[in-house]
Amino acid sequence: TWGLMKRNLEGGENIEGEPPKKEAKVHESMTKACEEEKKIHPPPEQLIDLPPGTDPEKPRKKKVILICGYNGSEFVGSQKQPTASIRTVEGEIEKALFQAKLISYENYGKLQKIAFTRATRTDKKVHALQNFFSAKLLISPSVDLSVYKESLQKILPTDIKLFAMIEGSKRFNTKLCCSSREYLYYLPSFCLEPLADPKNPSKACYVNCHKYRITKEGLEEVNKLCKHYIGTRKFHNYTQGINAKQGQASRYITDMSPRRTLVIGDIEFVEFFIKGQSFLYNQIRKMIGMLILLIRKQFSVEIFENSFKNNFFTTPLAPGNGLMLKRVCYDHYNTVKGAQKEDVALPEADADTVEKFTQEILEYISKQEMETKVYVNWLLKLDSSNEGDTEDGLAEYKKNNAQNANLNIQSVSYTHLTLPTSDL
């Protein structure tokens, strides 16, 4: 037994008393932050019950994996932002989970309180065919996850598709357990047409450019250039705020290649397949932009190789409209999953649904290009940039290489050409 000795102030005696009851620790800062978040992102007022005939038991918290696809055109990235006016994928998913009564009012507004994780983040206007999210949700043991899936899909906006819900183990983390990530980039083939005069591009090459079709030889040349990306390379020039000496600049790319060409509407697209362990911010878009620059301006491969060395090299950023997260791979985790009951992968039964969604996005990309000329306008900026000193910059780099000079080999300063929309 133990006791607490107190001083009797009146008699000066030590008496043994009961220990004071410990008050429950209240995380006031977290609670306050959560309430502030609710003011910025107010929870939906209307809650949705399960379908009639469902007799749920008292729900318990359970780790659940959500496999989602989305058309990123109307999203400012996937990650939730602190500003209410910014529409994000995670913000919409959180609203739907609350409306379906899968997260409580107390936990709404702070994703970390439900152990929310995502496999990877996508940038503004980037699409996803399979992105993985996980969270601790209020699930009734007597209700199958497929019932919750159907209920959630009715709540989610039309540009987000919920393909599957899988029960996850307590220790599963969508980001840390991932082995690799696969992306697709659909590039209009006219972006890969070499310019007749790179220093003085003619406006005629942008008129009806959507009728261009890449040749077999041209596709083989693109494939040769793509091989320079494969392996462990320093991609400090393919992102922002990183130099070659930082460890995070090194990324391992296992595959990059033009897989096929396909005509959607009036535009021919080249489908690029990119697979790697992880990617830096804007890395894939800059990898595609670099390919376009080399081919259109007919630069040497040596300039390409110098972009991976310890120097400063400004690479063009291709539009995000054609980029898709194809899938996230958990190959290694699925072999040693331990407590995980089923593989973390898209069920075969849902493969046709994903394929249909892919076709919808491709048709949207083609239609958007015909209406807004995103890639045509981007090429106008790229082709009219000051690239005349690039070869001289390479020579200067060779000259000063012994002194490890930090030289800006290729600097893009865009000047704008304007064409009437009717001519494009």
Side-chain angles (χ1 to χ4, degrees):
T1 62
W2 66 279
L4 178 67
M5 301 303 294
K6 294 183 178 178
R7 172 71 62 181
N8 188 323
L9 297 178
E10 294 181 356
E13 298 177 354
N14 289 332
I15 61 173
E16 188 177 34
E18 293 295 327
K21 293 182 180 180
K22 294 182 180 180
E23 296 182 0
K25 292 184 178 180
V26 179
H27 300 285
E28 295 181 358
S29 58
M30 177 64 78
T31 304
K32 184 178 179 180
C34 202
E35 291 302 321
E36 290 295 326
E37 181 71 14
K38 288 185 178 69
K39 293 178 182 179
I40 300 173
H41 300 280
E45 296 181 0
Q46 183 181 4
L47 302 183
I48 309 298
D49 293 319
L50 290 172
T54 307
D55 187 20
E57 297 179 16
K58 183 179 179 180
R60 304 170 187 172
K61 275 193 174 182
K62 182 184 291 186
K63 177 69 73 68
V64 177
I65 304 165
L66 309 175
I67 305 178
C68 299
Y70 47 87
N71 184 329
S73 301
E74 301 299 324
F75 292 107
V76 188
S78 62
Q79 187 176 18
K80 185 181 175 183
Q81 299 297 322
T83 307
S85 59
I86 298 179
R87 187 170 184 256
T88 63
V89 176
E90 291 180 8
E92 296 294 339
I93 290 176
E94 184 185 31
K95 290 179 184 177
L97 291 175
F98 178 76
Q99 283 187 272
K101 300 181 180 181
L102 295 176
I103 57 177
S104 65
Y105 177 82
E106 290 74 19
N107 289 339
Y108 181 84
K110 285 293 177 182
L111 292 175
Q112 62 266 38
K113 295 182 74 174
I114 58 173
F116 187 92
T117 62
R118 85 281 296 171
T120 186
R121 291 173 290 185
T122 53
D123 300 335
K124 180 179 179 181
K125 295 188 180 301
V126 175
H127 318 286
L129 303 180
Q130 293 181 50
N131 201 352
F132 288 66
F133 305 91
S134 69
K136 291 182 179 179
L137 305 179
L138 297 172
I139 302 295
S140 172
S142 61
V143 180
D144 192 77
L145 285 179
S146 61
V147 177
Y148 287 105
K149 173 194 167 185
E150 293 176 5
S151 179
L152 268 176
Q153 187 58 74
K154 293 177 181 178
I155 302 171
L156 286 166
T158 55
D159 47 4
I160 298 180
K161 303 292 183 183
L162 178 59
F163 297 124
M165 293 179 69
I166 303 171
E167 183 178 345
S169 64
K170 292 181 179 180
R171 296 186 178 183
F172 176 77
N173 184 294
T174 52
K175 180 180 178 181
L176 300 180
C177 296
C178 169
S179 304
S180 59
R181 297 162 176 84
E182 296 177 357
Y183 284 85
L184 297 173
Y185 194 101
Y186 290 90
L187 180 69
S189 62
F190 61 75
C191 294
L192 300 172
E193 181 183 11
L195 293 171
D197 186 357
K199 293 187 177 181
N200 297 295
S202 170
K203 291 184 179 181
C205 65
Y206 307 103
V207 179
N208 294 324
C209 59
H210 61 275
K211 295 181 179 180
Y212 176 80
R213 300 292 183 263
I214 192 169
T215 62
K216 182 179 179 180
E217 293 74 21
L219 206 59
E220 290 175 355
E221 185 63 30
V222 173
N223 191 33
K224 289 180 182 178
L225 290 174
C226 287
K227 293 185 183 300
H228 289 267
Y229 285 125
I230 298 176
T232 302
R233 311 301 302 262
K234 292 183 178 181
F235 286 94
H236 56 288
N237 286 320
Y238 292 81
T239 185
Q240 300 176 6
I242 295 179
N243 60 56
K245 296 181 179 179
Q246 292 178 269
Q248 59 182 318
S250 295
R251 299 287 151 158
Y252 179 53
I253 307 299
T254 57
D255 191 5
M256 180 170 181
S257 58
R259 288 289 178 91
R260 57 170 179 160
T261 59
L262 61 162
V263 178
I264 307 169
D266 293 331
I267 304 176
E268 180 188 61
F269 288 86
V270 178
E271 180 189 88
F272 286 90
F273 175 78
I274 308 103
K275 183 176 182 179
Q277 286 183 340
S278 60
F279 296 89
L280 295 166
Y281 176 64
N282 283 339
Q283 179 183 335
I284 296 177
R285 292 170 62 186
K286 282 181 169 284
M287 289 166 67
I288 296 294
M290 187 62 176
L291 287 176
I292 298 171
L293 177 70
L294 290 169
I295 293 171
R296 287 187 70 82
K297 299 216 170 187
Q298 303 174 42
F299 288 153
S300 66
V301 177
E302 195 171 358
I303 293 178
F304 194 10
E305 281 296 319
N306 275 301
S307 67
F308 303 111
K309 296 182 179 179
N310 186 14
N311 56 24
F312 177 76
F313 195 110
T314 306
T315 48
L317 179 65
N321 303 55
L323 181 58
M324 292 186 197
L325 172 65
K326 182 182 180 183
R327 72 185 184 109
V328 183
C329 305
Y330 294 94
D331 301 334
H332 177 71
Y333 179 79
N334 287 334
T335 59
V336 292
K337 54 191 174 186
Q340 181 70 35
K341 294 181 179 180
E342 54 184 316
D343 286 351
V344 181
L346 182 77
E348 293 184 6
D350 298 301
D352 291 340
T353 309
V354 175
E355 183 61 29
K356 182 180 178 181
F357 183 64
T358 305
Q359 292 301 318
E360 291 176 3
I361 294 181
L362 290 176
E363 291 172 5
Y364 180 87
I365 293 172
S366 178
K367 181 181 177 182
Q368 189 181 43
E369 177 59 27
M370 292 298 295
E371 292 176 354
T372 63
K373 306 291 186 292
V374 173
Y375 283 92
V376 175
N377 291 323
W378 184 79
L379 287 178
L380 284 167
K381 298 177 185 178
L382 179 70
D383 296 343
S384 60
S385 61
N386 291 330
E387 302 295 346
D389 61 342
T390 303
E391 296 290 350
D392 296 334
L394 176 60
E396 189 67 20
Y397 174 81
K398 290 179 180 179
K399 179 181 178 181
N400 296 308
N401 192 35
Q403 288 78 26
N404 295 320
N406 252 353
L407 187 65
N408 182 0
I409 297 177
Q410 183 265 92
S411 179
V412 180
S413 57
Y414 295 129
T415 57
H416 294 268
L417 290 177
T418 56
L419 289 176
T421 306
S422 58
D423 291 342
L424 298 178

